[in-house]
Amino acid sequence: MRSAIAEELGASPDVLFRRFEATPIATASLAQVHAAELADGTRVAVKVQLPGVETAVETDLAALRMLAPALRDLLRFIDIDTVADELGRAVCAELDFCAEAAHAEEFARYFAGDADIVIPRMHRALCSRRVIVAEHLAGARLIDYLDGCEQRGEAGARDRDRLFEILIRSFCAQVLEHGLLHADPHPGNFLVLDGPAGPRLALLDFGCVQTYSAARRRAYAELCMARAGRRQRPHGRVIRSHGVSQPRRWDRRVCAPSPT
């Protein structure tokens, strides 16, 4: 990975960082993350795209598109072409680390006024299409923290409920207010940090995001209100406005007037 960093940033890790750990602290299918320190001692996380991953992704996506006609016959109730296209779009977007750094900065602007939500700061001078250098956050993995809450009685239950409230508030704001959704919310992309009022939630990895126009955000708000009020006719209409096509039998059931 040292050669990949040198190729992307124009210098070896020994020149760019005061300390660089060769053993990754996290590894995924597209990249791995190394701990490092800048010259001034600032701790950072260095995310490096795995060599050759772009070629592997292109090969896998080409194979999926070749299989799509056969899968279409086997999975008749799934729009396999749309699934393949969306998967290709999302994976290719995740390979552009410059876009990911920009998304992280956008999230940081949106949540700057919320002390309970933390976004790692990007060191943009050290970011490229295949390398990201970001603030290293010291926290607990979300799953580990929640497991620990179970052992701490009422205090742990309060912290657990606080985290769930922060998580729900964050994603409601993403969809309904900001129109920018973190679309890869698996547990590994969250850290729990200590805060003066209780645990805070850090969001990581902004390679997969979804944007929503103002009209789409209003439609989602209307869908939530229809669902909460059990108003089935507007419920079905709003679902169709999102481009979701359902079998006629399902559509009649959802769009039928509520019994009185």
Side-chain angles (χ1 to χ4, degrees):
M1 303 308 288
R2 290 176 175 272
S3 60
I5 294 173
E7 181 179 346
E8 284 294 309
L9 301 182
S12 71
D14 294 333
V15 174
L16 296 169
F17 306 103
R18 186 170 78 176
R19 180 179 63 84
F20 179 85
E21 294 186 6
T23 302
I25 58 175
T27 303
S29 57
L30 301 180
Q32 60 189 39
V33 180
H34 298 259
E37 287 183 5
L38 300 179
D40 63 359
T42 300
R43 297 182 64 199
V44 293
V46 184
K47 181 177 178 179
V48 188
Q49 192 173 117
L50 298 175
V53 72
E54 286 183 322
T55 300
V57 166
E58 290 173 0
T59 301
D60 290 345
L61 291 176
L64 177 59
R65 293 188 182 100
M66 289 179 62
L67 289 171
L71 294 174
R72 195 183 304 125
D73 293 334
L74 293 172
L75 306 172
R76 296 183 179 182
F77 293 101
I78 296 177
D79 186 351
I80 193 65
D81 295 313
T82 298
V83 170
D85 290 343
E86 178 63 17
L87 180 62
R89 182 203 64 79
V91 173
C92 290
E94 287 197 65
L95 295 175
D96 185 354
F97 286 5
C98 288
E100 179 177 343
H103 292 150
E105 290 179 332
E106 196 169 3
F107 270 84
R109 287 194 299 272
Y110 285 146
F111 289 103
D114 193 329
D116 294 329
I117 299 172
V118 180
I119 311 296
R121 183 169 71 89
M122 300 290 111
H123 293 270
R124 288 304 293 271
L126 294 173
C127 294
S128 73
R129 195 172 185 278
R130 296 180 178 85
V131 175
I132 284 179
V133 178
E135 175 186 8
H136 186 281
L137 299 176
R141 293 173 64 250
L142 178 59
I143 292 297
D144 294 339
Y145 188 89
L146 293 176
D147 287 343
C149 287
E150 298 296 325
Q151 311 301 320
R152 294 193 291 113
E154 291 185 6
R158 286 194 299 269
D159 287 344
R160 177 202 60 204
D161 292 347
R162 172 182 167 84
L163 279 174
F164 285 148
E165 185 273 330
I166 295 171
L167 187 65
I168 293 170
R169 186 176 80 235
S170 164
F171 276 86
C172 286
Q174 291 173 43
V175 174
L176 301 177
E177 182 180 357
H178 306 311
L180 186 68
L181 172 69
H182 188 304
D184 189 17
H186 67 77
N189 282 339
F190 299 99
L191 287 178
V192 181
L193 312 178
D194 292 330
R200 299 182 298 162
L201 191 67
L203 277 62
L204 309 176
D205 193 344
F206 300 89
C208 186
V209 303
Q210 179 70 52
T211 58
Y212 300 113
S213 65
R216 180 58 62 88
R217 298 200 297 274
R218 285 193 297 271
Y220 272 122
E222 186 178 350
L223 177 60
C224 291
M225 295 300 294
R227 182 64 177 173
R230 299 182 181 277
R231 294 180 286 122
Q232 300 211 2
R233 191 175 294 278
H235 188 183
R237 175 176 57 78
V238 174
I239 287 176
R240 289 193 299 274
S241 76
H242 283 272
V244 178
S245 176
Q246 297 290 347
R248 183 177 301 275
R249 179 181 176 186
W250 181 92
D251 196 65
R252 284 201 305 269
R253 176 175 60 82
V254 170
C255 297
S258 299
T260 56

